[in-house]
Amino acid sequence: MIKKPHFISIVIPVYNEEHNLPLLVEKIQNILHKIQTKYEIILINDGSTDNSKNEIIKLADNNKQIKHMHFNKNFGKAVALNKGFQIAMGELIITMDADLQDKPEEIPVLINKINEGYDLVSGWKINRKDKLEKKLPSKIFNYVIGTVTGLKIHDYNCGFKIYRKELTENINLYGEMHRYIPALAYWKGYRVGEVPVKHNYRKYGKSKYGMERYMHGLFDFMTVYFLIKYMSKPMHFFGKIGLFCSISGFLILSYLTIIWFFGERIGNRPLLSLGILLFILGIQFISTGLISELIIYLYEKKSNFK
Ligand code: UDP
Ligand code: MG
């Protein structure tokens, strides 16, 4: 028995999925009619260059539950999702891919799981229907992110997720940050769960991501890691490096000063350049830390008095 939400939003990023859209919408509507809940389907066209735009407009003409928005260029899935979150009115928001790899029939599974007391539930493609060259790096990716962030879930990359509205209002996505939503949410103190979902092979169109996703993923991961660990205390990060550099520089310069007193020439010693470099670098790191602290202080002050 499913505890019905009053209103549910389905957010779908669309990039060149013209052949998948009609069936996708039909399947979602069928399942939501069964649950008998009010809903909206939000299609965010992320600058498609095929016929997706016309297809979406045609579908929306026949279905008042469909909302749509079209980007002039391809901004990426995270930006599309972010836009969807801004528009969504449901108390529960589901995101899913447009390519029918996520099965609309699994929507009740997500709803049931979030009703167990979570703020975010991520799908887990237990039997993933993709090529091995995609599955293997993904396994490593999940392991590393899980270990570092402390949130051990199996499938960070799954596009099929359900959120409480409040959570989506507190998360800002850009670049390829969508992969880290569970980690960011967990870090903000939300309850994050996962539930196995069935997965399909892609029938029409092709995958938009190749191996470069892991490269970009690594950079994004560094950002997320920094945000998670040091967002509220950047001085702990910059200060540590700064202190290490400036103390090393100071020791080197002290050593050179002492031997200079004993009459040795130090002007042509590479150690002198190293000492000066380290010292200046250290001061710079510390100043960056102070400026970051100041920015956070001002930001907090502003948001507290809103
Ligand atoms: N997508 C998007 N913008 C992009 C790339 C992808 O909106 O720049 C959408 C795409 O249309 C699909 C979802 O994101 O609905 C997942 O993309 P894809 O199926 O290519 O990823 P994969 O399943 O290969 O991980
Ligand atoms: Mg896909």
Side-chain angles (χ1 to χ4, degrees):
M1 198 30 210
I2 185 164
K3 189 175 149 224
K4 278 190 294 182
H6 296 300
F7 193 73
I8 192 159
S9 304
I10 315 280
V11 172
I12 306 172
V14 178
Y15 182 48
N16 295 345
E17 308 280 4
E18 55 181 342
H19 298 299
N20 290 313
L21 292 168
L23 188 59
L24 175 76
V25 167
E26 188 190 319
K27 286 192 165 208
I28 293 176
Q29 291 193 310
N30 281 344
I31 193 79
L32 290 175
H33 279 146
K34 269 194 207 148
I35 304 175
Q36 292 183 333
T37 178
K38 279 208 248 164
Y39 68 92
E40 61 183 357
I41 301 175
I42 301 176
L43 298 168
I44 307 289
N45 172 14
D46 185 16
S48 297
T49 49
D50 66 354
N51 201 31
S52 293
K53 183 171 181 180
N54 294 330
E55 202 58 61
I56 291 174
I57 293 173
K58 207 164 74 191
L59 286 166
D61 281 345
N62 299 323
N63 294 284
K64 61 178 185 336
Q65 291 94 345
I66 296 185
K67 290 183 183 170
H68 52 111
M69 173 135 203
H70 305 268
F71 294 165
N72 290 329
K73 74 179 247 285
N74 177 236
F75 283 101
K77 187 174 172 183
V79 181
L81 288 176
N82 213 25
K83 197 74 218 167
F85 288 156
Q86 285 167 9
I87 300 173
M89 314 249 285
E91 79 234 39
L92 292 180
I93 299 172
I94 290 182
T95 58
M96 63 192 297
D97 290 353
D99 55 4
L100 283 164
Q101 286 200 271
D102 300 328
K103 293 170 74 109
E105 297 81 356
E106 298 284 273
I107 287 176
V109 174
L110 290 179
I111 298 177
N112 277 335
K113 189 71 188 176
I114 203 164
N115 280 337
E116 283 177 19
Y118 293 100
D119 300 305
L120 160 59
V121 173
S122 184
W124 168 18
K125 297 164 288 191
I126 243 179
N127 195 357
R128 187 169 171 188
K129 307 286 190 206
D130 277 317
K131 294 191 188 120
L132 189 69
E133 71 235 35
K134 222 167 171 175
K135 289 196 277 196
L136 197 66
S138 173
K139 275 217 155 75
I140 300 170
F141 177 87
N142 285 309
Y143 176 78
V144 174
I145 308 294
T147 309
V148 177
T149 60
L151 174 68
K152 293 210 187 261
I153 57 173
H154 294 84
D155 199 356
Y156 271 88
N157 241 327
C158 186
F160 206 11
K161 291 188 168 65
I162 186 164
Y163 310 77
R164 291 197 189 280
K165 172 101 181 113
E166 188 216 301
L167 190 154
T168 62
E169 284 167 349
N170 280 315
I171 276 179
N172 188 24
L173 300 177
Y174 58 92
E176 293 184 13
M177 288 300 186
H178 54 279
R179 297 206 180 98
Y180 303 102
I181 300 177
L184 288 166
Y186 175 70
W187 163 61
K188 289 197 172 199
Y190 290 109
R191 291 155 300 175
V192 179
E194 72 175 341
V195 69
V197 288
K198 296 199 186 90
H199 193 231
N200 269 342
Y201 282 108
R202 188 184 250 281
K203 202 164 168 200
Y204 301 109
K206 51 179 191 292
S207 169
K208 314 301 180 307
Y209 297 103
M211 285 312 270
E212 80 285 350
R213 92 161 88 190
Y214 298 104
M215 183 70 175
H216 296 167
L218 187 72
F219 292 136
D220 290 336
F221 178 63
M222 290 198 282
T223 313
V224 171
Y225 185 70
F226 180 78
L227 284 177
I228 290 178
K229 261 198 108 96
Y230 300 108
M231 173 68 175
S232 54
K233 39 184 171 41
M235 195 55 184
H236 290 201
F237 176 75
F238 292 111
K240 256 186 239 158
I241 306 177
L243 215 59
F244 174 76
C245 289
S246 51
I247 290 178
S248 317
F250 181 76
L251 290 177
I252 291 173
L253 293 177
S254 310
Y255 163 73
L256 289 174
T257 312
I258 293 169
I259 61 171
W260 177 74
F261 268 120
F262 285 102
E264 248 187 75
R265 294 184 54 192
I266 59 166
N268 55 355
R269 294 193 57 165
L271 202 57
L272 181 64
S273 313
L274 181 68
I276 295 173
L277 184 74
L278 281 175
F279 194 71
I280 293 178
L281 257 183
I283 302 289
Q284 290 226 310
F285 270 115
I286 292 172
S287 326
T288 310
L290 285 174
I291 292 172
S292 315
E293 292 281 344
L294 190 68
I295 293 173
I296 291 174
Y297 171 75
L298 290 175
Y299 177 77
E300 292 286 330
K301 204 162 114 180
K302 210 167 109 202
S303 39
N304 285 343
F305 287 97
K306 251 199 299 212

